[in-house]
Amino acid sequence: MEKNKTSIKNLTYNQLEKFIAEKGFPKYRTEQIFKAIYTESTDDFDKIKSIPQDLRDLLKKEFLLDSIEITKVRESVDGSIKFLFQLADKSASIEAVYMPWFDEETNEIDRISLCISSMAGCPVECSFCATGTMGLIRNLETAEIIDQLILVERYLKKKVTNIVFMGMGEPLLNYSNVEKSLDNFTHPKAGLLSRRRITLSTVGIANKIEKLSGFHSPVKLAISLHATTNGFRNQIIPLSKNIDLTTLLDAVEYYYRKTKMPITYEYIPFLGMNDTDLDAKRLAKISKRVPSRINLIPFNDISFAGLKGFATSLFPTPKELVVEFGKKIVENGGRVTIRDTFGTDIEAACGQLALSEGK
Ligand code: SAH
Ligand code: SF4
């Protein structure tokens, strides 16, 4: 792969249209190019037969088509597939996880989610997260975010129905590239996904949550809460020292009021740390502020990352106790879901593989 050219997927629809018009081609060509690149996930500019040869030649001269390469594919017994990609500059590997969800009654696939990364590594360094132990390698470009979807669809010859930003990295600390990727993901001419089928998971960058509420295509938010007190949150999420719970929850309320999109709070119960009756009461109160649910997530073992310090005192609350904890939240008026497949659920493990295999 050549590194000196930019990928065409780094351009939004408006940017590509402007480029094409400046080069003397009619604007409607943008629509045809978007269809070929995104809807049909083409792997070659020469295959875009809907546009004339001189425009194909221009695109080839100016742009790369793909920004990443699939280097490893691992299929799990539960139907999920982990993809490892190498970035074009070979600075790092990133990961995406494909997850088919089955309808319990018919056993047919009713949706297919793809968990994608927004960074190689992550600068936030949460103590419970394997990606956090890597530090930040670099932000992903817009094309590198989008290509996780395009390459998976091309490889599997299947359409993904939902995207979750729950892989490596903190999406709101790579704000402009993530926003541009949302612009293309949801663009009607790309024919990919509606904004209601995209969930962005964030550790809680309050000012960027407010900024995203003003984006023309706001998506669903998942907030990695994991604590009901600033004291405990500060111990597991260093960045929360600058963004306290009041600031974060105010920003979430603001987001809901502006977008009317329901909120998910992600919460890992850590044994004896954040799973008390008082935590359940506080969670219920938080979840009543705006339409939302608390998603209880099992703590995935990350001891392979060589943990140090406070991380070594974190243990998962056993499943029976998580169920009890969930009931208490419900008794106090909160809404709860429990990610059930303890141990095998790879959604929670999303982002952990690249560390163990990719570097
Ligand atoms: N940076 C974003 C998105 C990537 S992490 C965020 O923090 O939200 C995606 C989810 O995985 C987050 O909810 C995160 O808290 C969770 N997670 C990280 N490490 C985990 C682990 N060891 N076990 C379970 N969930 C984990
Ligand atoms: Fe980064 Fe999210 Fe992991 Fe924290 S949990 S280190 S924000 S990827």
Side-chain angles (χ1 to χ4, degrees):
M1 256 192 257
E2 294 170 71
K3 293 192 292 192
N4 47 354
K5 288 194 240 173
T6 185
S7 164
I8 192 165
K9 292 167 215 164
N10 278 325
L11 274 61
T12 61
Y13 192 90
N14 291 347
Q15 289 171 327
L16 184 61
E17 190 177 64
K18 187 163 171 273
F19 170 84
I20 283 179
E22 276 169 10
K23 298 290 180 185
F25 292 95
K27 282 185 173 178
Y28 71 85
R29 294 290 180 201
T30 317
E31 201 173 317
Q32 294 167 317
I33 297 169
F34 247 56
K35 183 166 182 241
I37 294 177
Y38 296 109
T39 320
E40 293 159 7
S41 55
T42 189
D43 60 356
D44 188 348
F45 285 121
D46 277 326
K47 290 187 188 158
I48 314 181
K49 298 293 183 204
S50 54
I51 61 171
Q53 183 70 50
D54 52 352
L55 180 53
R56 291 202 290 268
D57 290 342
L58 175 71
L59 297 181
K60 266 196 297 192
K61 186 163 102 20
E62 297 282 335
F63 302 112
L64 286 176
L65 191 49
D66 291 348
S67 62
I68 55 177
E69 261 175 330
I70 297 178
T71 48
K72 194 163 189 171
V73 181
R74 263 181 49 184
E75 208 163 328
S76 150
V77 281
D78 61 12
S80 64
I81 308 175
K82 300 188 183 198
F83 289 86
L84 203 67
F85 303 93
Q86 188 172 59
L87 306 181
D89 65 6
K90 301 203 173 8
S91 62
S93 290
I94 55 159
E95 179 209 36
V97 184
Y98 170 95
M99 293 168 286
W101 297 85
F102 296 89
D103 182 295
E104 277 170 24
E105 276 165 30
T106 62
N107 214 23
E108 306 265 317
I109 293 182
D110 73 354
R111 67 190 159 98
I112 296 173
S113 305
L114 188 71
C115 170
I116 60 172
S117 301
S118 57
M119 293 174 168
C122 183
V124 182
E125 305 193 350
C126 300
S127 57
F128 52 86
C129 173
T131 310
T133 63
M134 302 167 76
L136 176 67
I137 298 173
R138 73 166 170 80
N139 282 343
L140 296 190
E141 291 178 6
T142 303
E144 292 166 335
I145 298 170
I146 297 172
D147 267 336
Q148 295 169 62
L149 172 72
I150 303 299
L151 267 62
V152 165
E153 288 194 339
R154 191 193 295 156
Y155 181 92
L156 296 174
K157 299 188 179 60
K158 282 189 190 137
K159 288 284 166 197
V160 165
T161 61
N162 296 66
I163 290 179
V164 292
F165 280 82
M166 288 191 188
M168 301 168 88
E170 169 46 48
L172 295 186
L173 290 180
N174 182 14
Y175 187 88
S176 66
N177 290 345
V178 167
E179 194 187 78
K180 272 171 72 184
S181 75
L182 295 178
D183 201 331
N184 283 358
F185 278 143
T186 61
H187 198 285
K189 300 296 180 198
L192 292 173
L193 307 139
S194 119
R195 68 186 178 88
R196 295 186 178 278
R197 290 181 170 270
I198 300 178
T199 301
L200 186 146
S201 175
T202 175
V203 74
I205 315 297
N207 60 346
K208 294 293 168 25
I209 291 173
E210 287 173 10
K211 188 168 179 192
L212 189 66
S213 73
F215 177 54
H216 59 74
S217 218
V219 295
K220 284 189 184 157
L221 269 195
I223 306 291
S224 294
L225 192 63
H226 306 317
T228 63
T229 62
N230 287 313
F232 183 60
R233 206 158 190 269
N234 292 171
Q235 279 182 297
I236 56 170
I237 304 174
L239 172 146
S240 68
K241 292 188 183 105
N242 304 322
I243 307 167
D244 64 16
L245 280 169
T246 307
T247 310
L248 171 58
L249 297 174
D250 284 351
V252 172
E253 183 166 342
Y254 182 85
Y255 191 88
Y256 174 76
R257 302 229 175 278
K258 269 191 85 175
T259 65
K260 295 286 177 286
M261 296 293 266
I263 306 289
T264 301
Y265 290 104
E266 293 158 287
Y267 196 90
I268 307 174
F270 294 107
L271 186 61
M273 296 284 187
N274 63 352
D275 58 358
T276 66
D277 289 1
L278 201 54
D279 288 304
K281 277 197 183 126
R282 293 196 201 108
L283 280 173
K285 196 169 165 207
I286 289 170
S287 88
K288 282 189 278 190
R289 254 180 94 161
V290 293
S292 65
R293 67 186 171 110
I294 310 284
N295 192 18
L296 299 177
I297 303 174
F299 179 33
N300 257 294
D301 182 21
I302 57 156
S303 48
F304 65 85
L307 296 179
K308 294 190 286 286
F310 190 71
T312 56
S313 51
L314 298 174
F315 299 98
T317 303
K319 172 125 197 211
E320 319 79 71
L321 295 184
V322 172
V323 172
E324 287 304 309
F325 184 62
K327 279 188 193 150
K328 280 177 209 149
I329 302 171
V330 174
E331 280 160 18
N332 284 286
R335 275 194 64 207
V336 173
T337 48
I338 300 182
R339 233 180 243 171
D340 52 359
T341 42
F342 266 57
T344 57
D345 183 1
I346 52 116
E347 188 167 14
C350 179
Q352 321 270 314
L353 182 82
L355 178 82
S356 52
E357 296 188 33
K359 273 213 292 185

